[in-house]
Amino acid sequence: GDSVTQMEGPVTLSEEAFLTINCTYTATGYPSLFWYVQYPGEGLQLLLKATKADDKGSNKGFEATYRKETTSFHLEKGSVQVSDSAVYFCALSDPGGYQKVTFGTGTKLQVIP
Amino acid sequence: DVKVTQSSRYLVKRTGEKVFLECVQDMDHENMFWYRQDPGLGLRLIYFSYDVKMKEKGDIPEGYSVSREKKERFSLILESASTNQTSMYLCASSFYRGEETQYFGPGTRLLVL
């Protein structure tokens, strides 16, 4: 079945540091790929998405590129802020129907001033 | 803006009690989902529904049931709560076709004593 593997956290960075959170996936079809973010005390919200190979999703300074050859969708940001502290989930959507989504286990990011 | 609301943010119940968690979305979405979120395990799908009165088992349906009598409302039922059902429960919704983004509620943190 489909699966998503992302790097374990927590990740602690100083403000303005470069961020990479690794994500790889296994899927039988051609899934769409997502990064969701969960701020403390809240539900998940979509951060960015990519629907086909070589697509780049971007939002709020975050970027991720759909790499079919390496089955990866790594999240990057050039300069993190304290307000980016959250849990980040990589996910893929089953193209077979009902938009069933498989989530990774989440990576907690803490940014310190 | 899409809004998904959940009936409670925090619940404390006793072992053996019947527990109802309610979710309402205001965007006329066909699909609705219930997940539980546990540390180190990410989000696991309990049940989903793609239409009124329709339901499909997710990855961990044991000990749970669901009800969808109206399009906007999706209820999760714990028939006889147990301590291993202590968790964060997240509801989500999405359109049936085309748009795969899931929109999440704020979550209900359930403690079963």
Side-chain angles (χ1 to χ4, degrees):
Chain A
D2 296 345
S3 67
V4 175
T5 303
Q6 59 182 109
M7 62 188 286
E8 290 190 23
V11 174
T12 302
L13 294 174
S14 297
E15 208 165 19
E16 298 183 4
F18 185 85
L19 168 71
T20 300
I21 300 178
N22 291 335
C23 171
T24 57
Y25 68 90
T26 303
T28 51
Y30 298 93
S32 294
L33 301 175
F34 306 83
W35 278 100
Y36 283 84
V37 59
Q38 184 179 34
Y39 296 105
E42 299 182 12
L44 279 70
Q45 56 185 273
L46 180 69
L47 179 60
L48 53 85
K49 64 185 275 190
T51 57
K52 60 184 188 296
D54 299 325
D55 267 3
K56 178 186 282 189
S58 62
N59 186 25
K60 299 182 180 179
F62 291 89
E63 292 183 340
T65 301
Y66 190 142
R67 301 284 187 202
K68 189 168 181 294
E69 64 277 13
T70 55
T71 61
S72 65
F73 193 55
H74 304 321
L75 182 68
E76 297 182 335
K77 187 176 186 184
S79 176
V80 294
Q81 304 301 312
V82 172
S83 57
D84 294 326
S85 298
V87 181
Y88 292 81
F89 292 89
C90 186
L92 66 83
S93 176
D94 175 6
Y98 307 135
Q99 282 80 48
K100 188 179 169 189
V101 176
T102 301
F103 289 87
T105 54
T107 302
K108 184 174 183 178
L109 170 66
Q110 183 178 13
V111 180
I112 54 177
Chain B
D1 278 352
V2 175
K3 193 159 187 186
V4 180
T5 57
Q6 296 183 228
S7 51
S8 305
R9 294 299 300 270
Y10 301 96
L11 272 181
V12 180
K13 297 293 181 181
R14 298 261 177 218
T15 301
E17 280 192 77
K18 192 169 186 176
V19 181
F20 292 87
L21 303 181
E22 298 225 310
C23 175
V24 177
Q25 49 92 6
D26 66 357
M27 278 299 291
D28 204 33
H29 285 168
E30 292 85 0
N31 298 335
M32 296 188 75
F33 306 83
W34 275 107
Y35 297 91
R36 63 177 283 176
Q37 181 182 9
D38 299 289
L41 297 177
L43 274 71
R44 293 180 291 168
L45 182 64
I46 304 171
Y47 268 97
F48 66 101
S49 168
Y50 53 90
D51 201 353
V52 175
K53 297 192 186 295
M54 305 303 289
K55 60 184 179 184
E56 293 284 340
K57 292 180 179 179
D59 300 317
I60 53 163
E62 296 78 18
Y64 303 94
S65 63
V66 291
S67 172
R68 192 157 180 211
E69 297 296 318
K70 293 184 177 181
K71 190 175 184 180
E72 68 271 18
R73 190 179 298 268
F74 191 35
S75 301
L76 179 70
I77 303 153
L78 287 65
E79 296 288 345
S80 177
S82 63
T83 55
N84 63 12
Q85 293 178 310
T86 291
S87 187
M88 169 72 90
Y89 290 88
L90 292 168
C91 175
S93 69
S94 70
F95 285 112
Y96 182 62
R97 297 207 183 279
E99 174 56 68
E100 300 161 298
T101 301
Q102 293 196 358
Y103 297 86
F104 283 82
T108 296
R109 189 168 292 281
L110 173 66
L111 173 62
V112 182
L113 300 174

